[in-house]
Amino acid sequence: MPRTQAATTRRDSVSLELARDRLGVPAVLFFVLAGVAPLTVAAGVIPTAYQTTGLTGIPAAFIAVALILALFAVGYVAMTRHITNSGAFYAFISRGLGRAAGVAAALVALLAYSCLQVGLYGAFGPSAASEAAAHIGVHAPWWAWALGAWAVITVLGLLRVDITGRVLGVLLSAEITVILAETAAGLARPAGGQLSFATLSPAALTSAGFGAFGVLAVVAVLGFVGFEQAPVLAEETRNARRTVPAATYLSLGLIAFVYAGASWAMAVHAGAGQVAAAAAQQGPGLLFGLGGSALAQAAQVLFLTSLFAAALAFHNCVWRYMYALGRENVLPAALGRTGGNNIPKAASLTQSATGLVVIVAYAVSGQDPMTRMFFWLGTTGGFGILLLLALTAVAVVAFFSGDPRGENAWRRAVAPALSAVVLAGIVVLAVRNYHTLLGVPPGDPAAWVLPASYALIAATGLAWALVLRARRPQVYARIGLGAHVVTGQLTPPVGQPPR
């Protein structure tokens, strides 16, 4: 082969594919659960949700949402057997509902995952500042610690994916161990000496009215965000047909068990009637105070590592979507080019730049990082993922409608259709009660500006797709093809090209 041809071949293969066969079930599970961030949710999201919403049905909501997402996963996992793409929502919606819808979904995913990733710096900074001041006498503003975490994540985001997976695995194992220990300690010491199951009851979901279920569901979905990332890693896994389903279902079951147990233990230990007030007073201490002092100290340190691990995992998720769009020239092609370690450096550095801008903006404006950055951005990111889940469920039905591709009716139609209806209902309830979710008055601008941002970004995506169809039809024709973009064709048994 001539030298120039060989060089071109190497460059094309590097640019169009991520590293193959580097991740097995444990590594994918670590990535998924690190993105879910068990200790971040248990110590950060759950107490803040108790405080902000005043609702006590959070443990029951985790169980209910786990069942809904398990129903969704039936069709979602079936789709992964036919489509392998690092931009999972983007590819699935493109193949099911058309290219224009896929581009809109991709931009929604970028916004949602960016909110989740950047919002985590808003919790890491204040928590690290508090720990440093209390234990080593170092007094620095929250943004200095947030920038320190940002710098390390920027470096790790450029390293090989399997190295990042090992880092996440170590941190995750310690997190879950501490949460389970705190949960057991809290349940062993119930308020009033009586173990109550009230917050686990389905009746707790609508105790403050049916609309409250929408609020509780979004909080719970926020806790599960990350479980859907296994297909994002499919290009880099060993035996994706086995690895992706196993990691998806294992993560769902483990998340439901850990979160329902931890939130129940907090309500049991503080008392269902007092848990909201206790959360307002103690914050993350609502979890840390369930056990002894040594366990509490370990939990506080691991809370920081959990925030860090989640920020790293979501950083990797965002650059994968940028890479998927850059590879197909929907976004600048530079985002879709990888280096010698198969990492798209331009995409990774672009997300790092986004994090830097947001941290600086919050520091300069003096806004509360824990509430306005961590909870507001995190909740809005979770709402965006909820939108994508509902849309993907519809896309699954559409994708299999013309050709079953060997999937039975339950996997290709019944389960995804049911999950689409339920998820769409939760979206409507969440929008109508978004002020309760944020803990602001009904007329507060944030209650409509934040969810409306997705309508704006989706409209932008649709408009850009139409521009591509009119002016760059060769690019439009390849939307959603992933690694097949070089030929413009899909290999069997995927089926017909997308609309």
mmCIF file of all heavy atoms in Angstrom, residues 96-134:
data_model
loop_
_atom_site.group_PDB
_atom_site.id
_atom_site.type_symbol
_atom_site.label_atom_id
_atom_site.label_comp_id
_atom_site.label_asym_id
_atom_site.label_seq_id
_atom_site.Cartn_x
_atom_site.Cartn_y
_atom_site.Cartn_z
ATOM 1 N N GLY A 96 -35.397 6.418 14.274
ATOM 2 C CA GLY A 96 -36.811 6.149 14.493
ATOM 3 C C GLY A 96 -37.735 7.250 14.009
ATOM 4 O O GLY A 96 -38.785 6.970 13.424
ATOM 5 N N LEU A 97 -37.350 8.510 14.258
ATOM 6 C CA LEU A 97 -38.247 9.633 13.983
ATOM 7 C C LEU A 97 -37.743 10.562 12.894
ATOM 8 O O LEU A 97 -38.411 11.548 12.573
ATOM 9 C CB LEU A 97 -38.480 10.437 15.277
ATOM 10 C CG LEU A 97 -39.096 9.662 16.436
ATOM 11 C CD1 LEU A 97 -39.253 10.554 17.651
ATOM 12 C CD2 LEU A 97 -40.442 9.068 16.031
ATOM 13 N N GLY A 98 -36.571 10.268 12.343
ATOM 14 C CA GLY A 98 -36.072 11.097 11.251
ATOM 15 C C GLY A 98 -34.850 11.898 11.637
ATOM 16 O O GLY A 98 -34.601 12.168 12.817
ATOM 17 N N ARG A 99 -34.097 12.308 10.637
ATOM 18 C CA ARG A 99 -32.828 12.992 10.858
ATOM 19 C C ARG A 99 -33.004 14.324 11.582
ATOM 20 O O ARG A 99 -32.224 14.665 12.471
ATOM 21 C CB ARG A 99 -32.142 13.216 9.513
ATOM 22 C CG ARG A 99 -31.781 11.950 8.748
ATOM 23 C CD ARG A 99 -31.199 12.360 7.399
ATOM 24 N NE ARG A 99 -30.767 11.218 6.616
ATOM 25 C CZ ARG A 99 -31.512 10.637 5.671
ATOM 26 N NH1 ARG A 99 -32.723 11.083 5.430
ATOM 27 N NH2 ARG A 99 -31.025 9.620 4.979
ATOM 28 N N ALA A 100 -33.999 15.110 11.189
ATOM 29 C CA ALA A 100 -34.197 16.425 11.807
ATOM 30 C C ALA A 100 -34.483 16.288 13.303
ATOM 31 O O ALA A 100 -33.921 17.013 14.136
ATOM 32 C CB ALA A 100 -35.329 17.171 11.117
ATOM 33 N N ALA A 101 -35.347 15.338 13.646
ATOM 34 C CA ALA A 101 -35.630 15.092 15.068
ATOM 35 C C ALA A 101 -34.380 14.634 15.795
ATOM 36 O O ALA A 101 -34.157 14.987 16.959
ATOM 37 C CB ALA A 101 -36.735 14.046 15.204
ATOM 38 N N GLY A 102 -33.530 13.857 15.118
ATOM 39 C CA GLY A 102 -32.298 13.383 15.735
ATOM 40 C C GLY A 102 -31.346 14.507 16.057
ATOM 41 O O GLY A 102 -30.728 14.527 17.136
ATOM 42 N N VAL A 103 -31.208 15.470 15.145
ATOM 43 C CA VAL A 103 -30.319 16.610 15.408
ATOM 44 C C VAL A 103 -30.862 17.438 16.569
ATOM 45 O O VAL A 103 -30.101 17.867 17.453
ATOM 46 C CB VAL A 103 -30.164 17.480 14.147
ATOM 47 C CG1 VAL A 103 -29.369 18.747 14.452
ATOM 48 C CG2 VAL A 103 -29.480 16.694 13.032
ATOM 49 N N ALA A 104 -32.168 17.658 16.602
ATOM 50 C CA ALA A 104 -32.776 18.389 17.722
ATOM 51 C C ALA A 104 -32.521 17.660 19.038
ATOM 52 O O ALA A 104 -32.163 18.279 20.051
ATOM 53 C CB ALA A 104 -34.274 18.551 17.483
ATOM 54 N N ALA A 105 -32.683 16.339 19.022
ATOM 55 C CA ALA A 105 -32.459 15.550 20.230
ATOM 56 C C ALA A 105 -31.002 15.615 20.681
ATOM 57 O O ALA A 105 -30.715 15.659 21.876
ATOM 58 C CB ALA A 105 -32.862 14.097 19.992
ATOM 59 N N ALA A 106 -30.082 15.628 19.717
ATOM 60 C CA ALA A 106 -28.669 15.691 20.056
ATOM 61 C C ALA A 106 -28.330 16.987 20.780
ATOM 62 O O ALA A 106 -27.573 16.995 21.762
ATOM 63 C CB ALA A 106 -27.819 15.557 18.800
ATOM 64 N N LEU A 107 -28.888 18.100 20.313
ATOM 65 C CA LEU A 107 -28.620 19.376 20.986
ATOM 66 C C LEU A 107 -29.279 19.415 22.364
ATOM 67 O O LEU A 107 -28.714 19.978 23.309
ATOM 68 C CB LEU A 107 -29.122 20.533 20.117
ATOM 69 C CG LEU A 107 -28.428 20.720 18.762
ATOM 70 C CD1 LEU A 107 -28.849 22.041 18.127
ATOM 71 C CD2 LEU A 107 -26.908 20.658 18.898
ATOM 72 N N VAL A 108 -30.456 18.816 22.494
ATOM 73 C CA VAL A 108 -31.090 18.711 23.818
ATOM 74 C C VAL A 108 -30.201 17.893 24.757
ATOM 75 O O VAL A 108 -30.013 18.252 25.925
ATOM 76 C CB VAL A 108 -32.490 18.082 23.691
ATOM 77 C CG1 VAL A 108 -33.038 17.695 25.069
ATOM 78 C CG2 VAL A 108 -33.449 19.046 23.001
ATOM 79 N N ALA A 109 -29.645 16.790 24.237
ATOM 80 C CA ALA A 109 -28.757 15.955 25.053
ATOM 81 C C ALA A 109 -27.513 16.731 25.466
ATOM 82 O O ALA A 109 -27.070 16.635 26.627
ATOM 83 C CB ALA A 109 -28.365 14.691 24.285
ATOM 84 N N LEU A 110 -26.930 17.481 24.556
ATOM 85 C CA LEU A 110 -25.750 18.278 24.893
ATOM 86 C C LEU A 110 -26.061 19.277 26.000
ATOM 87 O O LEU A 110 -25.274 19.447 26.939
ATOM 88 C CB LEU A 110 -25.242 19.016 23.655
ATOM 89 C CG LEU A 110 -24.395 18.221 22.669
ATOM 90 C CD1 LEU A 110 -24.049 19.079 21.450
ATOM 91 C CD2 LEU A 110 -23.114 17.723 23.328
ATOM 92 N N LEU A 111 -27.200 19.955 25.900
ATOM 93 C CA LEU A 111 -27.585 20.922 26.929
ATOM 94 C C LEU A 111 -27.849 20.222 28.265
ATOM 95 O O LEU A 111 -27.385 20.680 29.320
ATOM 96 C CB LEU A 111 -28.832 21.693 26.484
ATOM 97 C CG LEU A 111 -29.393 22.704 27.497
ATOM 98 C CD1 LEU A 111 -28.355 23.755 27.854
ATOM 99 C CD2 LEU A 111 -30.656 23.366 26.943
ATOM 100 N N ALA A 112 -28.591 19.112 28.225
ATOM 101 C CA ALA A 112 -28.948 18.409 29.462
ATOM 102 C C ALA A 112 -27.712 17.872 30.179
ATOM 103 O O ALA A 112 -27.529 18.092 31.388
ATOM 104 C CB ALA A 112 -29.919 17.268 29.145
ATOM 105 N N TYR A 113 -26.852 17.169 29.459
ATOM 106 C CA TYR A 113 -25.673 16.597 30.091
ATOM 107 C C TYR A 113 -24.678 17.678 30.519
ATOM 108 O O TYR A 113 -23.968 17.516 31.520
ATOM 109 C CB TYR A 113 -24.998 15.594 29.159
ATOM 110 C CG TYR A 113 -25.706 14.270 29.069
ATOM 111 C CD1 TYR A 113 -26.217 13.803 27.865
ATOM 112 C CD2 TYR A 113 -25.887 13.475 30.206
ATOM 113 C CE1 TYR A 113 -26.871 12.581 27.778
ATOM 114 C CE2 TYR A 113 -26.551 12.260 30.134
ATOM 115 C CZ TYR A 113 -27.037 11.817 28.921
ATOM 116 O OH TYR A 113 -27.695 10.614 28.855
ATOM 117 N N SER A 114 -24.635 18.787 29.787
ATOM 118 C CA SER A 114 -23.764 19.894 30.195
ATOM 119 C C SER A 114 -24.264 20.521 31.489
ATOM 120 O O SER A 114 -23.470 20.860 32.374
ATOM 121 C CB SER A 114 -23.689 20.954 29.091
ATOM 122 O OG SER A 114 -22.996 20.466 27.966
ATOM 123 N N CYS A 115 -25.588 20.684 31.620
ATOM 124 C CA CYS A 115 -26.155 21.198 32.876
ATOM 125 C C CYS A 115 -25.801 20.286 34.042
ATOM 126 O O CYS A 115 -25.423 20.746 35.133
ATOM 127 C CB CYS A 115 -27.676 21.328 32.753
ATOM 128 S SG CYS A 115 -28.248 22.737 31.781
ATOM 129 N N LEU A 116 -25.935 18.980 33.810
ATOM 130 C CA LEU A 116 -25.610 18.014 34.859
ATOM 131 C C LEU A 116 -24.134 18.078 35.222
ATOM 132 O O LEU A 116 -23.768 18.095 36.401
ATOM 133 C CB LEU A 116 -25.978 16.602 34.388
ATOM 134 C CG LEU A 116 -27.474 16.309 34.292
ATOM 135 C CD1 LEU A 116 -27.719 15.082 33.431
ATOM 136 C CD2 LEU A 116 -28.060 16.109 35.681
ATOM 137 N N GLN A 117 -23.266 18.120 34.211
ATOM 138 C CA GLN A 117 -21.829 18.096 34.457
ATOM 139 C C GLN A 117 -21.352 19.365 35.140
ATOM 140 O O GLN A 117 -20.689 19.336 36.168
ATOM 141 C CB GLN A 117 -21.082 17.895 33.134
ATOM 142 C CG GLN A 117 -19.636 17.429 33.318
ATOM 143 C CD GLN A 117 -18.622 18.543 33.215
ATOM 144 O OE1 GLN A 117 -18.856 19.536 32.540
ATOM 145 N NE2 GLN A 117 -17.502 18.389 33.873
ATOM 146 N N VAL A 118 -21.721 20.508 34.592
ATOM 147 C CA VAL A 118 -21.252 21.778 35.136
ATOM 148 C C VAL A 118 -21.884 22.060 36.496
ATOM 149 O O VAL A 118 -21.239 22.615 37.393
ATOM 150 C CB VAL A 118 -21.549 22.915 34.131
ATOM 151 C CG1 VAL A 118 -21.188 24.262 34.731
ATOM 152 C CG2 VAL A 118 -20.781 22.688 32.836
ATOM 153 N N GLY A 119 -23.152 21.674 36.665
ATOM 154 C CA GLY A 119 -23.814 21.904 37.948
ATOM 155 C C GLY A 119 -23.099 21.251 39.119
ATOM 156 O O GLY A 119 -23.140 21.751 40.250
ATOM 157 N N LEU A 120 -22.428 20.141 38.866
ATOM 158 C CA LEU A 120 -21.726 19.429 39.937
ATOM 159 C C LEU A 120 -20.605 20.267 40.551
ATOM 160 O O LEU A 120 -20.278 20.112 41.732
ATOM 161 C CB LEU A 120 -21.165 18.111 39.405
ATOM 162 C CG LEU A 120 -22.236 17.055 39.108
ATOM 163 C CD1 LEU A 120 -21.687 15.972 38.196
ATOM 164 C CD2 LEU A 120 -22.762 16.444 40.403
ATOM 165 N N TYR A 121 -20.010 21.168 39.782
ATOM 166 C CA TYR A 121 -18.978 22.046 40.350
ATOM 167 C C TYR A 121 -19.575 22.954 41.427
ATOM 168 O O TYR A 121 -18.870 23.387 42.340
ATOM 169 C CB TYR A 121 -18.349 22.903 39.247
ATOM 170 C CG TYR A 121 -17.535 22.118 38.246
ATOM 171 C CD1 TYR A 121 -17.816 22.200 36.879
ATOM 172 C CD2 TYR A 121 -16.476 21.325 38.646
ATOM 173 C CE1 TYR A 121 -17.071 21.489 35.944
ATOM 174 C CE2 TYR A 121 -15.723 20.608 37.725
ATOM 175 C CZ TYR A 121 -16.025 20.690 36.372
ATOM 176 O OH TYR A 121 -15.272 19.987 35.463
ATOM 177 N N GLY A 122 -20.873 23.246 41.306
ATOM 178 C CA GLY A 122 -21.534 24.080 42.295
ATOM 179 C C GLY A 122 -21.679 23.421 43.651
ATOM 180 O O GLY A 122 -21.860 24.115 44.666
ATOM 181 N N ALA A 123 -21.643 22.108 43.695
ATOM 182 C CA ALA A 123 -21.655 21.390 44.977
ATOM 183 C C ALA A 123 -20.240 21.069 45.427
ATOM 184 O O ALA A 123 -19.935 21.106 46.627
ATOM 185 C CB ALA A 123 -22.469 20.106 44.853
ATOM 186 N N PHE A 124 -19.361 20.734 44.483
ATOM 187 C CA PHE A 124 -17.993 20.379 44.853
ATOM 188 C C PHE A 124 -17.279 21.561 45.502
ATOM 189 O O PHE A 124 -16.609 21.388 46.537
ATOM 190 C CB PHE A 124 -17.204 19.923 43.620
ATOM 191 C CG PHE A 124 -15.808 19.458 43.944
ATOM 192 C CD1 PHE A 124 -15.549 18.127 44.234
ATOM 193 C CD2 PHE A 124 -14.746 20.357 43.998
ATOM 194 C CE1 PHE A 124 -14.277 17.696 44.559
ATOM 195 C CE2 PHE A 124 -13.460 19.939 44.322
ATOM 196 C CZ PHE A 124 -13.232 18.606 44.603
ATOM 197 N N GLY A 125 -17.402 22.751 44.919
ATOM 198 C CA GLY A 125 -16.687 23.908 45.440
ATOM 199 C C GLY A 125 -17.006 24.215 46.894
ATOM 200 O O GLY A 125 -16.094 24.251 47.749
ATOM 201 N N PRO A 126 -18.277 24.455 47.253
ATOM 202 C CA PRO A 126 -18.616 24.742 48.648
ATOM 203 C C PRO A 126 -18.275 23.607 49.604
ATOM 204 O O PRO A 126 -17.822 23.844 50.731
ATOM 205 C CB PRO A 126 -20.127 24.976 48.601
ATOM 206 C CG PRO A 126 -20.403 25.373 47.205
ATOM 207 C CD PRO A 126 -19.435 24.597 46.360
ATOM 208 N N SER A 127 -18.482 22.364 49.176
ATOM 209 C CA SER A 127 -18.196 21.225 50.057
ATOM 210 C C SER A 127 -16.701 21.105 50.326
ATOM 211 O O SER A 127 -16.279 20.861 51.459
ATOM 212 C CB SER A 127 -18.722 19.931 49.420
ATOM 213 O OG SER A 127 -20.111 19.999 49.210
ATOM 214 N N ALA A 128 -15.895 21.259 49.288
ATOM 215 C CA ALA A 128 -14.444 21.193 49.464
ATOM 216 C C ALA A 128 -13.950 22.352 50.313
ATOM 217 O O ALA A 128 -13.067 22.178 51.172
ATOM 218 C CB ALA A 128 -13.752 21.206 48.099
ATOM 219 N N ALA A 129 -14.509 23.541 50.110
ATOM 220 C CA ALA A 129 -14.104 24.705 50.902
ATOM 221 C C ALA A 129 -14.418 24.494 52.377
ATOM 222 O O ALA A 129 -13.604 24.819 53.259
ATOM 223 C CB ALA A 129 -14.817 25.946 50.377
ATOM 224 N N SER A 130 -15.590 23.922 52.654
ATOM 225 C CA SER A 130 -15.984 23.662 54.040
ATOM 226 C C SER A 130 -15.075 22.628 54.703
ATOM 227 O O SER A 130 -14.637 22.803 55.843
ATOM 228 C CB SER A 130 -17.439 23.185 54.075
ATOM 229 O OG SER A 130 -17.840 22.837 55.375
ATOM 230 N N GLU A 131 -14.791 21.546 53.984
ATOM 231 C CA GLU A 131 -13.932 20.497 54.529
ATOM 232 C C GLU A 131 -12.507 21.012 54.771
ATOM 233 O O GLU A 131 -11.891 20.720 55.797
ATOM 234 C CB GLU A 131 -13.890 19.314 53.567
ATOM 235 C CG GLU A 131 -15.159 18.490 53.527
ATOM 236 C CD GLU A 131 -15.408 17.781 54.842
ATOM 237 O OE1 GLU A 131 -14.574 16.951 55.249
ATOM 238 O OE2 GLU A 131 -16.426 18.092 55.480
ATOM 239 N N ALA A 132 -11.991 21.777 53.824
ATOM 240 C CA ALA A 132 -10.628 22.292 53.971
ATOM 241 C C ALA A 132 -10.529 23.266 55.139
ATOM 242 O O ALA A 132 -9.547 23.241 55.897
ATOM 243 C CB ALA A 132 -10.200 22.987 52.676
ATOM 244 N N ALA A 133 -11.522 24.113 55.308
ATOM 245 C CA ALA A 133 -11.504 25.070 56.413
ATOM 246 C C ALA A 133 -11.606 24.368 57.761
ATOM 247 O O ALA A 133 -10.941 24.747 58.737
ATOM 248 C CB ALA A 133 -12.646 26.064 56.243
ATOM 249 N N ALA A 134 -12.413 23.302 57.816
ATOM 250 C CA ALA A 134 -12.643 22.611 59.083
ATOM 251 C C ALA A 134 -11.488 21.718 59.494
ATOM 252 O O ALA A 134 -11.201 21.577 60.697
ATOM 253 C CB ALA A 134 -13.929 21.786 58.987
#
